[in-house]
Every structure is written in C-alpha cells, then in structure tokens.
Amino acid sequence: MPQSILIIEDEEALARFVELELTHEGYLVEKAFDGRDGLQKALEGSHDLILLDIMLPSLNGLEVLRRLRREKKTPVILLTARDAVMDKVTGLDMGADDYITKPFAIEELLARIRVSLRKHEKAPESDLKRLSEIVLDPLRHTVTVRGNDVSLTSREFQLLEYMMENEGIVLSRETLLSNVWGYDYMGETNVVDVYIRYLRQKIDEAYDLKTLHTVRGVGYVMKSE
Ligand code: CA
C-alpha cells in the first residue's frame, strides 16, 4: 500500500514540484492551495503525513494544525519561512513533527518525510508466547513470570523460546543442540543440561513452577506443571 501525503501550500508551483517528486518516490499525493481546503482534506482523508505551509490564505498553517490536532494525530511537517523562528517553536509546541525551512533541497525534504513516517509506523504486534505463567516476547526479547522480568542471556532466551514453541514435545539433546546452538556446534552435548539447569533456576525454582521436565534417557520437555 503506497503511503499518502497531503500538501497544503499556496505557492502552486512549489506544491506541484513537490508533488512530482513525491509521486516519483511512490507516494500518493493530494494537494490543497489554502488553509480551509487543506484542513477539510486533512480531516476527511486518511493521509500518512501532511506537509503544511504556515503562511496560507483563508486559514494560516498554525491554525490548521491547531484544529487538526483536536481530531487527528497525522504527522505534520511544517514548511516555514527562513526567519520565522516563533512559528517553528509554536508549531512544534502545537504538535508538528518537524519543520523544514524554505527554500529546501528536495532530498532533505524526502529524508525528513521518511523519518517522520518511520517514527509513526505502528509497532508490529508482538507475537507473545505463553506457557504456564511465563510470557515470552520474541520481538522485545523479554521474558516475564507473573509480570516480573526474568533476566536471561541470549542463549538461555533462545533455548527457552525453542522449548516454548515446542510445548509438550519431548526434545532430545541433539535436537536442542542443532536448533538452538546450530548444526556446526562442536562442543560438549552436556551444554544442554547446563543451560536447562540455568533456566530451571531462573524460572521454575525462582517462581515455584514446574515447566521444565526431564524425560530420562530421551531429553527434555516443556509443559505447564
Ligand atoms: Ca505560503
């Protein structure tokens, strides 16, 4: 889905030039040449970002921003005149994301647009894994038990994640070694036992759980109680 940008700018030649560049970059572009029309388009549309000139006919840019912010959080980059320091400060106070001073190099504008868009991208929903009272967040690399942070080394985390993904399945030391340590791991196979012991201490023993079970002669399985 291409991202869409609304340009509110009364200098039509400038608006058209920016539109051309943005379209070339793959954005969908809509334009408004005065404040009132711009505000209406901003409120009615679902733009990913708005470029907003400050000196505009009918409703100035700061007023557009103020009214927009009552209803929407669409990121706004202000287009300001060289010496309008107060406008910049006021604009940022009123919830603009950034500003760029005219005349600007199009490359700089494009870079700022990318930064603003990235900042506002929705954080991907983390795919939490749960087992008993353990919650593992693969994206944030965190583990909690009953809401308490459990501090794990990166290898402990990988082992726990793999075992939680395979809940209820008995995993041999060889399977754990090749999936957690990698096929080319050349060390001792008892490294698995050592790390299982670490996890037991940090999780089962610390929180009085029974999730890491030994299956004699076979390996390990993780399940609730
Ligand atoms: Ca203007």
Side-chain angles (χ1 to χ4, degrees):
M1 233 333 242
Q3 292 173 299
S4 76
I5 297 180
L6 173 64
I7 306 170
I8 310 175
E9 166 63 77
D10 62 315
E11 290 168 57
E12 298 193 15
L14 176 61
R16 293 215 164 82
F17 167 69
V18 173
E19 174 185 31
L20 204 67
E21 295 288 335
L22 293 178
T23 308
H24 183 71
E25 293 292 312
Y27 297 108
L28 288 175
V29 179
E30 193 176 5
K31 298 190 302 298
F33 300 128
D34 69 68
R36 213 166 280 284
D37 183 36
L39 178 63
Q40 194 181 341
K41 286 194 162 106
L43 290 175
E44 286 170 1
S46 55
H47 308 93
D48 295 292
L49 184 129
I50 298 169
L51 296 177
L52 177 61
D53 183 29
I54 289 188
M55 298 293 283
L56 285 170
S58 84
L59 206 60
N60 79 46
L62 293 176
E63 189 55 27
V64 171
L65 178 62
R66 198 177 66 79
R67 297 193 194 181
L68 177 73
R69 279 289 172 265
R70 285 191 213 146
E71 297 186 38
K72 284 189 157 184
K73 289 182 178 156
T74 316
V76 169
I77 297 178
L78 294 171
L79 309 177
T80 69
R82 185 179 294 280
D83 298 318
V85 179
M86 271 320 289
D87 286 349
K88 292 170 197 168
V89 173
T90 312
L92 293 174
D93 279 348
M94 285 168 58
D97 252 58
D98 199 358
Y99 62 83
I100 188 164
T101 307
K102 293 195 228 178
F104 47 80
I106 193 69
E107 285 308 326
E108 188 186 351
L109 179 64
L110 292 174
R112 284 171 186 243
I113 288 173
R114 284 193 295 270
V115 169
S116 276
L117 287 173
R118 224 171 17 239
K119 211 161 60 187
H120 286 267
E121 260 172 26
K122 289 186 193 77
E125 278 291 300
S126 209
D127 202 0
L128 298 181
K129 294 181 170 61
R130 298 166 196 275
L131 191 153
S132 179
E133 293 171 282
I134 308 164
V135 181
L136 181 144
D137 186 334
L139 228 74
R140 296 183 178 76
H141 247 253
T142 58
V143 175
T144 59
V145 178
R146 283 177 219 128
N148 302 295
D149 288 314
V150 179
S151 162
L152 298 180
T153 65
S154 144
R155 186 72 79 193
E156 290 164 353
F157 183 89
Q158 288 165 12
L159 177 60
L160 180 66
E161 183 176 26
Y162 184 76
M163 293 194 74
M164 286 176 74
E165 280 168 359
N166 291 283
E167 178 178 358
I169 299 170
V170 181
L171 303 161
S172 68
R173 287 177 182 77
E174 290 70 30
T175 302
L176 290 170
L177 267 184
S178 51
N179 285 285
V180 177
W181 276 263
Y183 286 96
D184 52 356
Y185 179 76
M186 297 296 281
E188 301 287 322
T189 57
N190 74 3
V191 70
V192 174
D193 307 290
V194 173
Y195 273 83
I196 292 283
R197 199 153 65 230
Y198 292 156
L199 284 181
R200 276 201 177 122
Q201 285 164 0
K202 291 187 177 181
I203 294 173
D204 281 0
E205 289 166 22
Y207 294 95
D208 197 23
L209 296 174
K210 288 195 190 71
T211 62
L212 285 152
H213 303 264
T214 305
V215 181
R216 268 185 216 297
V218 187
Y220 297 99
V221 59
M222 203 166 179
K223 54 187 183 184
S224 353
E225 303 296 318

